[in-house]
Amino acid sequence: MSCAPLVSRRIAVPLMLATLMVACKSAASQDTGATAAAPVAQPQAMATATDTLPAELAALPQAPSTSPQPWVPYAVENGMAAQWCPENPNDSQVPSDRARSTGLLHKPCLGLLPQHLAQVLLAIPESAIHISRQTRSRLLREPQPYLAVKGLSDRPDFITTVDFLEGITLRSFEGTTPADTVYLVEGPFRCIDDAPLVPREGEYVLAAASCKSALADTRLYKWSSGDALADVTAQYLPAPRLSAAEQAAMAPDSLHLDLTQLSQAPVLRWSALLKNRSPGATSDEYTPIDMPASIHASRQPGGALAFDKLEWDGVKFSNLALANPME
């Protein structure tokens, strides 16, 4: 059977997830074809980042230590006992706009998150992400949409958008060695309680003492040698290189990371909005200025401004070398 795509708004997502779980339960038991015929080996025990695993993570599935060869869509997730996976990874029903914006270009599976991904979400300090540990623990006991992605190491990468308000995106980048692995997290990191003029579109309305309203921002995390989760954003995300014309055309406070390629390749790209023709107008009245002729066409996909691409090489993110030096 064919199931409806995920909807990510704070009201629609829980309803859609519940509907998917009910509507697809029978389909999950009837799936046949290449996915069912090519199960991945049962997950091997993987070393955790800490000596003592939090109790709420003990029952979560562990990722397999090796990826299927050749790669088979959904084989990893089915091998980890996902509750439901699509019958066809190329289904014409595309995910929601929110899912596409975070790299889910085809429909994900539903199931409990891989243990190592959940461990990162649980370990982020509440003062940074403004979501209580109790809330995150509850989310990890519920099925979430996620995908396994062929990465640069033996263990597959994973990407998920956790069902919390506007969504929390996590994406693992396996390293050349396990110690090199980095985790991208997009969520309510940017508190705007003291910024009344910042547009509220897409805001997370929170109950944390540290923040009541936040916007999405992207962080990179890595386990340190002392088994502590460290924020390595500043070290791993090179700032974009902007020309004077690009700086003049860019809307204030609109620079962000484009994550739309994340389920296809370990690549990020800096992006920004053009200035609004009507300064001070609401987001619903956004009318971008004309793209200046001095800005190269490679910087203009979709009418926005796009800057440097950053590619994960197994150790770090580097500016992606392009044939055209203006790109």
Side-chain angles (χ1 to χ4, degrees), residues 40-46 61-66 76 78-81:
V40 71
Q42 288 300 311
Q44 301 292 318
M46 299 290 291
Q62 294 186 34
S65 57
T66 58
V76 171
N78 282 314
M80 294 170 61

Side-chain angles (χ1 to χ4, degrees), residues 253-275:
D253 206 33
S254 68
L255 186 66
H256 63 280
L257 280 170
D258 180 351
L259 309 182
T260 54
Q261 296 186 50
L262 281 187
S263 67
Q264 305 299 307
V267 174
L268 309 169
R269 191 170 193 179
W270 289 107
S271 184
L273 297 176
L274 288 167
K275 284 182 176 177

Side-chain angles (χ1 to χ4, degrees), residues 1-4 19-29 83-84 110:
M1 67 179 290
S2 178
C3 297
T19 302
L20 274 171
M21 293 304 297
V22 173
C24 300
K25 183 177 181 181
S26 60
S29 64
Q83 295 186 24
W84 175 81
L110 280 172

